[in-house]
C-alpha cells in the first residue's frame, strides 16, 4: 500500500549527487505539522492541484483511493518516458508527465494537466521541486545553484499568457515570493528517521483553465 502521496514524483541524480530529491519521512510521532507530514503530495517533486492530496488520508499511515499509475510511452533507447495518473479525478484533472534526456547531461520534464470532463473549470496548481541547500540565485523562473561539481540551472517555463508566482523556501521560511499553504513543511530534507536538514523548495504557482502545460529544464551543461 502507498506510504506517501507521491504520484509521478521524480528524483534526479548528477555526478553522484541527489539533485531533485525526496523529502523523506522525518517523524511519525510528533506535534503538527510533523506527524508524518512529509507524506503529503505538497513536498514531492510533482503537482498539487487545488491544495488537494492525490489520495484520501485515513490516518497517520493509511491512504485510501490510491490512483493507479499508467505508463503511456517509453522510447526504445530509454531516453524518454511518459506516464500519467488520475489522482485528481474528483476535480476532473489528469496529470501527465514526460521525462526526456536532452544530450548527455540535461533533462526536460514536460507536465500536462488535462481535463477529464467537458466542463471548463479553473484550478490553482503548484509545481514543487526539492533541491539541496546550496548557494542559489533566482532570476525570474531560472534558479541557479552552486554545486560541488559546478553551477547548474533549473528553468521552469509556465504556460504563456497566464500570470504566475515563483517562490523559494528554506526550512519553512520564504526566501522569495509569497508563502504557500504548506509552507512549514517545505524546504526540509530528512535523510534518515528523526533527522531533518535544510533544503530548498522551488515552487511555481498559477491559476488557469485546463489544459495547462509546464516545462522544467534541468541544465547541467554550464
Amino acid at each position: 500500500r502507498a506510504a506517501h502521496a507521491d504520484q509521478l514524483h521524480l528524483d534526479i541524480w548528477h555526478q553522484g549527487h541527489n539533485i531533485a530529491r525526496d523529502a523523506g519521512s522525518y517523524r511519525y510521532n510528533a506535534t503538527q505539522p510533523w506527524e508524518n507530514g512529509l507524506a503529503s503530495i505538497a513536498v514531492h517533486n510533482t503537482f498539487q492541484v487545488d491544495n488537494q492530496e492525490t489520495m484520501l488520508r485515513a490516518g497517520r499511515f493509511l491512504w485510501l483511493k490510491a490512483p493507479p499509475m499508467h505508463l503511456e510511452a517509453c522510447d526504445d533507447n530509454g531516453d524518454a518516458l511518459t506516464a500519467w495518473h488520475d489522482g485528481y479525478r474528483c476535480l476532473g484533472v489528469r496529470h501527465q508527465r514526460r521525462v526526456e534526456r536532452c544530450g548527455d547531461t540535461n533533462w526536460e520534464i514536460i507536465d500536462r494537466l488535462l481535463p477529464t470532463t467537458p466542463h471548463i473549470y479553473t484550478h490553482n496548481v503548484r509545481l514543487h521541486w526539492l533541491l539541496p541547500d546550496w548557494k542559489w540565485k533566482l532570476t525570474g523562473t531560472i534558479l541557479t545553484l552552486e554545486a560541488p561539481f559546478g553551477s547548474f540551472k533549473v528553468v521552469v517555463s509556465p504556460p504563456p499568457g497566464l500570470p504566475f508566482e515563483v517562490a523559494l523556501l528554506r526550512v519553512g521560511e520564504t526566501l522569495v515570493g509569497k508563502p504557500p499553504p504548506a509552507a512549514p513543511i517545505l524546504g526540509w530534507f530528512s535523510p534518515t528517521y528523526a533527522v531533518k536538514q535544510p533544503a530548498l523548495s522551488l515552487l511555481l504557482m498559477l491559476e488557469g483553465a485546463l489544459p495547462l502545460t509546464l516545462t522544467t529544464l534541468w541544465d547541467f551543461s554550464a
Side-chain angles (χ1 to χ4, degrees):
R1 60 182 173 84
H4 284 197
D6 57 359
Q7 283 71 29
L8 293 185
H9 167 91
L10 177 69
D11 268 33
I12 294 178
W13 291 73
H14 185 74
Q15 294 192 15
H17 295 273
N18 187 194
I19 306 299
R21 50 179 51 180
D22 188 292
S25 295
Y26 182 47
R27 296 182 67 95
Y28 303 138
N29 297 288
T31 57
Q32 292 293 343
W34 299 115
E35 190 177 29
N36 208 17
L38 296 183
S40 170
I41 192 73
V43 301
H44 289 89
N45 296 329
T46 185
F47 266 94
Q48 187 171 29
V49 179
D50 293 339
N51 296 318
Q52 300 296 309
E53 298 286 356
T54 51
M55 300 182 288
L56 176 63
R57 196 161 192 172
R60 188 180 303 158
F61 303 106
L62 180 62
W63 295 90
L64 304 177
K65 300 183 179 180
M69 304 296 296
H70 302 270
L71 181 63
E72 186 171 306
C74 184
D75 291 6
D76 292 338
N77 58 9
D79 286 339
L81 64 83
T82 304
W84 62 271
H85 76 85
D86 62 353
Y88 296 117
R89 56 190 176 277
C90 63
L91 301 174
V93 180
R94 174 176 294 170
H95 179 199
Q96 180 196 72
R97 169 165 278 184
R98 178 175 175 82
V99 180
E100 183 172 359
R101 183 166 63 181
C102 304
D104 294 331
T105 60
N106 296 349
W107 294 91
E108 184 178 60
I109 319 301
I110 301 174
D111 287 298
R112 295 185 175 93
L113 297 176
L114 305 171
T116 60
T117 70
H119 304 288
I120 298 177
Y121 301 104
T122 60
H123 297 277
N124 289 293
V125 302
R126 182 168 72 227
L127 174 62
H128 173 261
W129 294 106
L130 186 66
L131 301 114
D133 185 29
W134 290 335
K135 184 178 178 181
W136 59 274
K137 178 182 178 181
L138 183 62
T139 305
T141 61
I142 302 175
L143 177 66
T144 303
L145 290 179
E146 298 295 333
F149 52 78
S151 65
F152 69 95
K153 295 179 180 179
V154 184
V155 183
V156 183
S157 299
L162 280 180
F164 62 89
E165 295 182 10
V166 177
L168 187 68
L169 293 93
R170 180 182 183 273
V171 299
E173 298 181 357
T174 305
L175 303 174
V176 176
K178 298 178 181 179
I185 59 173
L186 296 175
W188 291 103
F189 170 63
S190 177
T192 189
Y193 187 75
V195 174
K196 70 178 189 292
Q197 300 172 350
L200 296 174
S201 281
L202 175 66
L203 299 103
L204 189 142
M205 301 165 286
L206 58 86
E207 181 178 356
L210 305 186
L212 294 170
T213 300
L214 292 88
T215 301
T216 307
L217 174 64
W218 296 79
D219 185 356
F220 297 100
S221 58

